[in-house]
Amino acid sequence: TRQGVDDLPHYTNVVMPWPDLEPPQTPAKNPTGLYRTEIELPQSWLKRDVVVHLGAAESVAVLWCNGHFVGMGKDSRLPSEFDLTPFANAGINQIAVMVIRYSDATWIEDQDHWWHGGIHRSCFIEARGRTRVDDLSVTGDYSPTQSRGSLNVTARAIGQAATLRVSIETAGGRNVAQATCPFVAFDHSSLLGELIAAHHHKGPIAQLSFGNLKVKPWSPEDPNRYRVITELLGPNSNVVEVHSTWTGFRRVEIKDRRLLINGVPTIIHGVNRHDHHPQTGKVVSTNEIRAELIMMKRHNINAVRTAHYPNHHSLLDLCDELGLYVIDEANVESHARLESLTNDPRYFNAVVERTRRMVARDKNHPCIIGWSLGNESGLGPCHDAAAAWVRAVDPSRFVHYEGAVHPRFGDIGDRTAAVQAAPSGQERLVTDVVCPMYPSIDTIVGWARWAERTQADDRPMLLCEFSHSMGNSNGSLDGYVNAFYDEPALAGGFVWDWRDQGLDETAENGKHYWAFGGHFGDEPNDANFCINGLVGPDLTAHPALREYQWLSRPVVASHLGGRKIKVTNRRQFTPTDDLKLRWTASCHGKLSAAGVLDVSVAPGKSKNVTLPAAAFKQPLTHLDIQFKQRRSNAVAERGHVVAWDQFLVTPAPNRAATQSPQRSRGRKEIHLELNDAGIASLAADATTLVSGDITGCLWRPPTDNDGIKQGWMAEVGRHAPRWRAQGLDTLHSVLDDVAETSRKGVRTITLHRRLVGNNAEATHITKICLEATYARFDERIELPEDWQDLPRVGVRFEMPEQFGNLQWLGLGPDETYPDRHSGATHGLWNSLVADQYHPYVVPQEHGSHHQTSWFELTNNAGGGARVTSPDGSMAFAARYHHDAAVTKARTIADLETAPSVEVHIDAAMRGLGTAICGPDALPAYRIAKSTHRWRWLLEAF
């Protein structure tokens, strides 16, 4: 689907990629790929078993060897292996594979991702010995009380296996332990032996247990790995086969509403992840996955949920190596038939088998802490069976399944009565953790306190999906993460999701854009609902990722007053010895003092630290604490900022906030011209600063959560349709009256205007005082009763294109909004206006800066204008992408850059929330007042 053939990608979420069919039917038009190659095999291979491995293929793979049918496989996200031995010859052999895009299995692979027919993981042929280990289980455990590890090794063999020799080595090759044991086979000579053999592996089995091992535990903070060497010895003690398996020693427990890793309560700061690449679709390489995981680690993410299938096998190798927890999810989702399909006996075996095959492939990875039975597939007998099998085979991990708790929690509701009720028997059978999707903050806090108080549920809550990252989103992410730390019964969760699943395409106008549902003629589709990542398709970080990084920081500083701070190590297993504490003191963005300290804090402990007196010698408004990497490691270079905190210490005189950084610049006299509509222009000497009127603005280009213009999501309970119906996007200003006075060189102009919508109008009164080099604006907007919960309240104007350099004193460095600014810090920030567009896949509201004291727009010669907020509460935006263009554009290829800078000065901006899939912006972040008053000052220089 990404190689220029007629079969193209298709995106759906809930609906199937065809209409009017029922399981197990498939569409009449069913694209089919035919693959054929020739392989030359040496004569020596014919003495072994020749096996072909197909990494993954969507949806059915049928294989032939030299014209002979060999077999077929229908699990699109796990390997299929075929024995070619009866059909292979020495010399040239023809291998043919037919991949059929849709099958009955497609109904349980409806996974909110692109449908990509074809082979998407690597394929190879190997020759396996007739005597060999056919299955190997390596399970490490760690006793936190004894600080010792243990290891169980089970090898199931075929052929003439006599002895198993196992060696445990450190990553550096030092021997930790070694032992041997014989392979034991059942005696089939008796009737009893035949009965036993009918119920057990008929081949030889060897089992070894190692105890009291002096090893270091595995965790994301310190992912210590050990190499297990397993040697199969034949009857003559000759080495027949050798395997090398990485393992780690760690213990996973669910106890007393806690998720315990190595005996310590753990909080998951996770993300959901798809296998996705913008050029190659589901085809991803090991190096590409490594880049993703390193980026996660650098942003303090410690866990991955494989949504919604076992990811590429390299993911688990890398999570073992780099240190990330994993919940491994079975390749099961029947969202289009959520309540019925997993109760259909025709699909029972397929659901159970997919879970078993996942465990068989991935069981030896220490990074996996839980097995998920799938996603959004209702609740049926197949889940009972799958959960029972997993617990019997692997009691070292917990079982996870959101479908079991869904009846109580729903998708996004706050069903308090249902939540605060004992779980059903079937729920307890199927999931060891309470794992809802998109509950509100009040819901999870209420549940945690109820569970602790009543002890009616001994499981922790682990949110399998929360804080939907679609476009400019993740409002109140801080509320969730703070609750994880405040409520012991909350074990964290997984943000949806990691990466925008856009595909790299070129529009007819020659511009690049990221494609989503509907761009390939794919009908039906779910539009841009696959665009919901913390990073873009090319791994460009969205601002919400930095917010998540700060909230998940492993070290926290708090100000105790004066020169004292408290440093808390949130890490569970490692001290802060790998970090340096850098402190900086600043006054309204200007650095006044800085220094570095060594602070060693044990895991889970706090320590009070006294800063040097030099930190407080100069005028001070803010104290910044950063924890930086002392030396480079596998995921970050020396100096990487792991955590940071900022404190408002001593407010300096207000005058300091309004002074320009370079007071040597001369101020210019401001001139204002009026016309029948209001302000015609503002100029400084001969330089135009504001071209056109400064008008009231109540509109923002809708975010996805507001109800953007893509498909069904524009009309489902969102706000933008209501705002459009009120005419906020086409609001026009009508001047009713102008009053002007002049006294002692101060010219005062009062404008009475109406902001006229479709069914009502607002009153906008502006009082402007002009005094030589500045203009002071006193604004008042009174809203009608029908206009409640608006996107913004402020003014808008344009400045000439040449003012393309931006500096501001306030929160930064990223865009900030009322419910997403916790990770921002107050400072003096610089940017180009051209860089104020953050490339969301779908154009929408962006670039606002919350809690700003002042901002300046200048040209390359240093001339320009400064806007100051007397109380530092202003929000502003300055962009070449104007609201009208952003509102109109469907993709970034459609987005037009204007020859002027659009400036917004806002008294109020609605929060972001996550309403497209989750709770709306909280009431505190909605615009509730009817009358808004604010001031701003314009200076020219």
Side-chain angles (χ1 to χ4, degrees):
T1 54
R2 297 298 290 159
Q3 292 182 289
V5 297
D6 289 339
D7 186 27
L8 299 175
H10 193 147
Y11 169 65
T12 63
N13 173 25
V14 178
V15 300
M16 297 300 288
W18 52 66
D20 305 324
L21 293 178
E22 289 298 324
Q25 295 174 325
T26 55
K29 182 181 179 181
N30 200 349
T32 301
L34 302 177
Y35 306 79
R36 187 163 55 214
T37 191
E38 291 185 340
I39 303 293
E40 185 172 1
L41 301 180
Q43 181 71 37
S44 60
W45 276 41
L46 301 187
K47 298 179 182 179
R48 301 168 71 84
D49 288 343
V50 181
V51 176
V52 62
H53 172 106
L54 302 184
E58 184 178 316
S59 161
V60 177
V62 188
L63 186 137
W64 291 263
C65 178
N66 295 325
H68 299 282
F69 171 75
V70 179
M72 63 179 288
K74 287 198 288 188
D75 187 339
S76 294
R77 307 290 180 257
L78 283 174
S80 293
E81 293 187 337
F82 304 90
D83 186 2
L84 305 184
T85 309
F87 314 107
N89 305 313
I92 301 299
N93 292 261
Q94 185 187 80
I95 311 297
V97 180
M98 176 172 68
V99 179
I100 306 170
R101 180 161 186 170
Y102 301 123
S103 72
D104 60 317
T106 306
W107 288 93
I108 53 173
E109 295 183 353
D110 178 25
Q111 290 155 333
D112 189 12
H113 197 215
W114 291 95
W115 302 95
H116 283 296
I119 299 172
H120 57 269
R121 292 182 190 162
S122 295
C123 306
F124 57 85
I125 290 178
E126 63 178 341
R128 299 175 181 171
R130 298 280 165 84
T131 296
R132 64 176 181 267
V133 172
D134 227 27
D135 183 73
L136 180 67
S137 295
V138 178
T139 305
D141 185 29
Y142 185 79
S143 171
T145 57
Q146 299 176 350
S147 299
R148 288 291 188 270
S150 61
L151 187 76
N152 292 322
V153 179
T154 300
R156 291 177 169 83
I158 61 173
Q160 302 300 311
T163 305
L164 181 70
R165 182 163 60 206
V166 178
S167 303
I168 306 172
E169 300 177 351
T170 65
R174 180 179 60 82
N175 183 267
V176 175
Q178 187 180 69
T180 61
C181 74
F183 279 93
V184 178
F186 287 111
D187 179 6
H188 298 171
S189 60
S190 65
L191 176 61
L192 178 60
E194 292 180 1
L195 290 173
I196 292 174
H199 294 276
H200 292 273
H201 174 71
K202 295 182 180 180
I205 298 177
Q207 294 179 301
L208 266 173
S209 294
F210 297 84
N212 199 35
L213 297 173
K214 189 177 180 180
V215 293
K216 296 179 180 179
W218 183 96
S219 74
E221 297 171 16
D222 196 6
N224 295 294
R225 294 188 301 161
Y226 291 79
R227 186 182 287 108
V228 179
I229 309 297
T230 50
E231 298 174 275
L232 187 157
L233 308 182
N236 300 322
S237 297
N238 57 313
V239 176
V240 177
E241 186 180 71
V242 181
H243 289 274
S244 175
T245 306
W246 285 108
T247 192
F249 296 89
R250 56 97 186 96
R251 178 175 293 179
V252 181
E253 298 173 281
I254 300 294
K255 185 186 296 184
D256 299 328
R257 291 168 297 284
R258 308 293 185 268
L259 167 60
L260 304 177
I261 306 294
N262 298 333
V264 181
T266 297
I267 293 178
I268 296 297
H269 300 287
V271 292
N272 288 273
R273 181 191 176 275
H274 274 292
D275 279 340
H276 180 82
H277 190 275
Q279 281 83 37
T280 56
K282 278 198 180 293
V283 179
V284 293
S285 72
T286 299
N287 286 339
E288 289 160 354
I289 297 173
R290 181 183 289 274
E292 290 185 69
L293 299 185
I294 286 176
M295 192 172 184
M296 291 179 194
K297 290 281 291 184
R298 287 172 63 90
H299 287 86
N300 298 327
I301 290 166
N302 69 359
V304 172
R305 174 179 174 231
T306 68
H308 296 293
Y309 44 82
N311 284 186
H312 191 284
H313 65 87
S314 292
L315 176 90
L316 301 175
D317 296 330
L318 293 168
C319 287
D320 287 343
E321 174 193 341
L322 300 174
L324 287 110
Y325 297 123
V326 174
I327 290 184
D328 204 5
E329 192 150 270
N331 181 27
V332 179
E333 181 168 343
S334 59
H335 205 163
R337 298 295 183 274
L338 182 66
E339 301 296 336
S340 61
L341 203 146
T342 49
N343 284 283
D344 187 332
R346 294 174 296 180
Y347 281 88
F348 180 93
N349 288 334
V351 173
V352 176
E353 183 67 10
R354 285 163 183 246
T355 303
R356 293 169 59 184
R357 279 166 43 80
M358 170 184 66
V359 174
R361 187 194 77 163
D362 299 341
K363 61 192 173 187
N364 293 335
H365 289 278
C367 64
I368 297 174
I369 59 173
W371 301 110
S372 172
L373 307 182
N375 182 70
E376 294 178 321
S377 300
L379 184 60
C382 55
H383 297 113
D384 299 348
W389 185 89
V390 170
R391 290 195 183 100
V393 169
D394 181 21
S396 70
R397 300 172 170 101
F398 62 81
V399 176
H400 164 288
Y401 184 57
E402 182 270 342
V405 305
H406 182 85
R408 283 206 293 152
F409 286 87
D411 283 317
I412 58 175
D414 184 1
R415 304 178 181 182
T416 304
V419 169
Q420 296 185 3
S424 68
Q426 189 178 19
E427 177 185 329
R428 293 302 301 259
L429 285 175
V430 171
T431 184
D432 297 323
V433 290
V434 181
C435 46
M437 293 180 178
Y438 307 108
S440 68
I441 298 167
D442 286 346
T443 297
I444 65 174
V445 170
W447 178 89
R449 293 175 180 174
W450 165 80
E452 292 282 352
R453 184 179 69 253
T454 65
Q455 299 189 21
D457 200 331
D458 60 354
R459 301 168 299 169
M461 178 177 283
L462 180 61
L463 304 181
C464 67
E465 296 177 22
F466 80 105
S467 193
H468 196 263
S469 304
M470 190 170 178
N472 193 357
S473 185
N474 300 103
S476 294
L477 182 58
D478 55 352
Y480 284 97
V481 179
N482 290 338
F484 298 160
Y485 282 99
D486 292 341
E487 304 298 333
L490 301 180
F494 298 84
V495 168
W496 186 269
D497 61 8
W498 168 242
R499 187 175 192 173
D500 288 335
Q501 285 100 56
L503 293 173
D504 189 2
E505 293 292 325
T506 302
E508 292 181 359
N509 60 10
K511 293 182 179 180
H512 154 80
Y513 73 101
W514 302 114
F516 44 82
H519 282 134
F520 299 98
D522 44 326
E523 294 292 342
N525 67 77
D526 284 304
N528 63 316
F529 210 66
C530 58
I531 307 298
N532 32 40
L534 288 167
V535 301
D538 58 353
L539 297 185
T540 298
H542 293 324
L545 179 59
R546 191 170 184 272
E547 180 93 340
Y548 200 22
Q549 177 188 10
W550 181 79
L551 292 167
S552 306
R553 64 201 186 283
V555 188
V556 175
S558 54
H559 189 214
L560 301 178
R563 293 163 52 196
K564 291 188 178 297
I565 63 171
K566 181 170 76 171
V567 176
T568 300
N569 185 3
R570 283 176 167 176
R571 293 171 172 175
Q572 299 151 310
F573 311 108
T574 53
T576 61
D577 296 346
D578 60 322
L579 306 176
K580 278 185 174 290
L581 186 158
R582 174 175 167 80
W583 59 267
T584 57
S586 61
C587 182
H588 293 298
K590 295 180 183 180
L591 182 66
S592 56
V596 176
L597 297 175
D598 291 326
V599 179
S600 180
V601 184
K605 302 298 182 180
S606 298
K607 178 181 287 187
N608 292 347
V609 176
T610 301
L611 297 178
F616 293 84
K617 282 186 177 179
Q618 302 296 324
L620 173 68
T621 57
H622 289 87
L623 178 66
D624 288 82
I625 305 295
Q626 292 183 333
F627 297 92
K628 293 188 172 186
Q629 200 78 43
R630 184 185 295 272
R631 60 187 67 88
S632 298
N633 58 26
V635 299
E637 71 283 355
R638 180 174 179 264
H640 168 68
V641 178
V642 173
W644 67 93
D645 280 291
Q646 185 183 68
F647 314 107
L648 177 63
V649 180
T650 306
N654 290 335
R655 182 62 182 165
T658 62
Q659 289 176 348
S660 297
Q662 304 174 38
R663 279 291 35 146
S664 59
R665 297 176 300 185
R667 294 185 179 183
K668 293 188 176 182
E669 187 171 352
I670 289 181
H671 306 281
L672 180 147
E673 294 184 12
L674 299 174
N675 60 17
D676 292 341
I679 302 170
S681 69
L682 271 170
D685 295 342
T687 302
T688 298
L689 296 178
V690 176
S691 52
D693 201 2
I694 301 173
T695 60
C697 183
L698 308 179
W699 172 260
R700 73 181 183 197
T703 66
D704 287 290
N705 295 322
D706 292 337
I708 212 164
K709 50 227 174 261
Q710 311 294 344
W712 62 269
M713 289 159 290
E715 306 300 332
V716 183
R718 310 301 176 214
H719 305 287
R722 169 171 58 85
W723 294 338
R724 285 192 176 93
Q726 292 168 337
L728 302 187
D729 55 335
T730 57
L731 206 65
H732 61 281
S733 179
V734 176
L735 179 63
D736 287 332
D737 185 51
V738 178
E740 183 171 347
T741 61
S742 181
R743 185 165 179 259
K744 294 184 179 180
V746 177
R747 181 185 177 197
T748 302
I749 303 165
T750 303
L751 305 175
H752 287 260
R753 291 175 286 185
R754 288 175 291 127
L755 304 176
V756 181
N758 289 341
N759 302 311
E761 58 187 40
T763 299
H764 181 195
I765 300 173
T766 304
K767 181 180 179 182
I768 309 167
C769 294
L770 289 169
E771 183 175 356
T773 60
Y774 70 86
R776 187 178 70 245
F777 292 76
D778 292 321
E779 308 277 5
R780 188 174 83 210
I781 290 182
E782 297 176 0
L783 303 173
E785 290 185 4
D786 293 344
W787 290 1
Q788 298 298 318
D789 193 12
L790 302 185
R792 76 177 344 139
V793 177
V795 294
R796 172 204 174 275
F797 57 88
E798 294 178 28
M799 292 182 66
E801 181 181 15
Q802 71 220 44
F803 296 105
N805 303 306
L806 173 64
Q807 186 179 66
W808 76 94
L809 179 66
L811 294 182
D814 302 313
E815 63 182 21
T816 50
Y817 288 83
D819 57 353
R820 199 192 69 210
H821 67 273
S822 293
T825 53
H826 188 278
L828 191 60
W829 307 102
N830 293 280
S831 171
L832 297 176
V833 173
D835 292 338
Q836 285 296 293
Y837 175 62
H838 189 84
Y840 294 111
V841 167
V842 177
Q844 55 196 278
E845 162 61 34
H846 63 278
S848 183
H849 297 282
H850 191 58
Q851 295 181 9
T852 302
S853 295
W854 57 258
F855 69 91
E856 290 181 348
L857 287 164
T858 59
N859 56 29
N860 290 335
R866 165 182 284 205
V867 172
T868 301
S869 169
D871 60 2
S873 65
M874 162 181 67
F876 85 95
R879 308 177 306 213
Y880 288 125
H881 296 107
H882 293 194
D883 285 354
V886 176
T887 301
K888 177 182 176 182
R890 178 177 171 84
T891 71
I892 55 177
D894 305 329
L895 192 56
E896 298 176 356
T897 300
S900 63
V901 181
E902 182 180 64
V903 178
H904 283 277
I905 301 173
D906 294 318
M909 170 70 76
R910 195 182 196 274
L912 298 170
T914 60
I916 194 69
C917 192
D920 193 5
L922 298 178
Y925 304 118
R926 302 176 198 173
I927 298 177
K929 293 192 304 181
S930 295
T931 300
H932 297 265
R933 293 183 174 89
W934 73 104
R935 285 176 159 189
W936 55 285
L937 183 76
L938 178 69
E939 297 176 272
F941 49 84

